[in-house]
Amino acid sequence: MKKILIIAFVLFSIQMFAQTNEGTVYFTRTTYWTKMNNQLSYLSKQEKEKMTYMFAGKDDWKEYMLLHYNDNESKYVASEERSEESEGYAWRKEEFSVARNFSKNTMLDVFEILGKTYIIEDSLQTPNWKILNDIKEVAGHICMKAMIEDTLKKQKIIAWFAQDIPSNAGPERLWGLPGLILELDINDGTVLIQASKIESKKLTQELAPPKKLKGKKMNESAYQEMLKKIIQEKIKEERNPFWFIRY
């Protein structure tokens, strides 16, 4: 009986999204800082003690993100909604957006790093995913498992994607699976990006590029070289580089 209900639900979902394959996915991004620091063997004792003091035993930091998507494009941005963890902090909103145009095979990402804005424009390079046999439910959808490695940041990334939502899009900078990515698990739960709701709707201006872009322009290769330099510098200083760049 349970299998019949799952099959019926998947068929209903396929029919629904075949009619309107666009909308917005609401994600919660949780970073476990203590777990991350324990994985970084090069951190100084002073750095680890500082982190322990800052989080005072509670280190699961939540952020809310939005992924707008349709058949040809996607855009991943920070939500205006604030988490309980951020209450009381006067954070300045940083420049951040990750845009993909699958029909034109282009990307346009805007990041702020160490107080400077960078604009990364390039052609898309399909990630080298390995699709696995595991399945689980995420946000009401039966998802398949896939894996990839980021050799620069030394991360093992697990993705869960919904084949009943035919989109190549995904959160963060990840994409390229035969279905919308609804969950990412980076380095065994150090960072979790999980869909909480999928709103199927007609998009208006959500996918529009920023009207004014001010910052240093570079391609993907130059961006990766810059990240590599920052990581090497922080390792030498025995500090966590992911205070300065996105994990």
Side-chain angles (χ1 to χ4, degrees), residues 39-201:
Q39 293 174 346
L40 305 178
S41 60
Y42 50 79
L43 296 186
S44 67
K45 181 181 178 182
Q46 181 182 11
E47 179 82 354
K48 289 186 176 182
E49 289 176 348
K50 181 176 70 174
M51 296 291 294
T52 301
Y53 174 78
M54 285 181 61
F55 290 107
K58 179 176 173 57
D59 68 340
D60 52 329
W61 184 271
K62 289 182 171 56
E63 305 167 76
Y64 298 120
M65 310 297 297
L66 302 174
L67 175 65
H68 308 295
Y69 72 95
N70 63 21
D71 287 329
N72 300 316
E73 298 178 77
S74 71
K75 189 175 183 181
Y76 183 67
V77 296
S79 170
E80 295 294 333
E81 183 182 2
R82 298 185 66 185
S83 65
E84 292 182 4
E85 291 82 0
S86 63
E87 292 297 331
Y89 290 88
W91 296 110
R92 181 177 63 83
K93 188 175 180 180
E94 296 184 347
E95 294 285 352
F96 178 83
S97 68
V98 176
R100 302 284 178 266
N101 190 310
F102 307 116
S103 59
K104 295 181 180 179
N105 198 45
T106 58
M107 56 176 281
L108 173 61
D109 297 349
V110 182
F111 302 135
E112 188 173 321
I113 300 173
L114 295 171
K116 295 182 179 180
T117 300
Y118 296 89
I119 303 165
I120 301 95
E121 293 182 276
D122 212 329
S123 58
L124 287 173
Q125 298 179 9
T126 305
N128 188 26
W129 291 104
K130 179 181 180 181
I131 296 178
L132 306 172
N133 293 324
D134 306 53
I135 62 170
K136 76 171 184 177
E137 182 182 326
V138 181
H141 293 262
I142 303 302
C143 294
M144 288 191 67
K145 185 178 183 181
M147 184 180 71
I148 198 170
E149 291 191 19
D150 184 328
T151 55
L152 176 62
K153 295 180 179 179
K154 301 188 184 306
Q155 296 172 347
K156 181 183 74 173
I157 303 170
I158 298 296
W160 295 91
F161 65 96
Q163 287 184 296
D164 62 312
I165 310 179
S167 171
N168 293 134
E172 302 299 310
R173 306 189 80 212
L174 292 168
W175 65 282
L177 284 165
L180 188 65
I181 299 172
L182 298 183
E183 181 174 314
L184 293 174
D185 179 333
I186 306 176
N187 273 351
D188 298 319
T190 302
V191 174
L192 292 174
I193 300 103
Q194 299 167 306
S196 58
K197 182 176 71 171
I198 306 169
E199 187 177 2
S200 180
K201 64 177 182 178

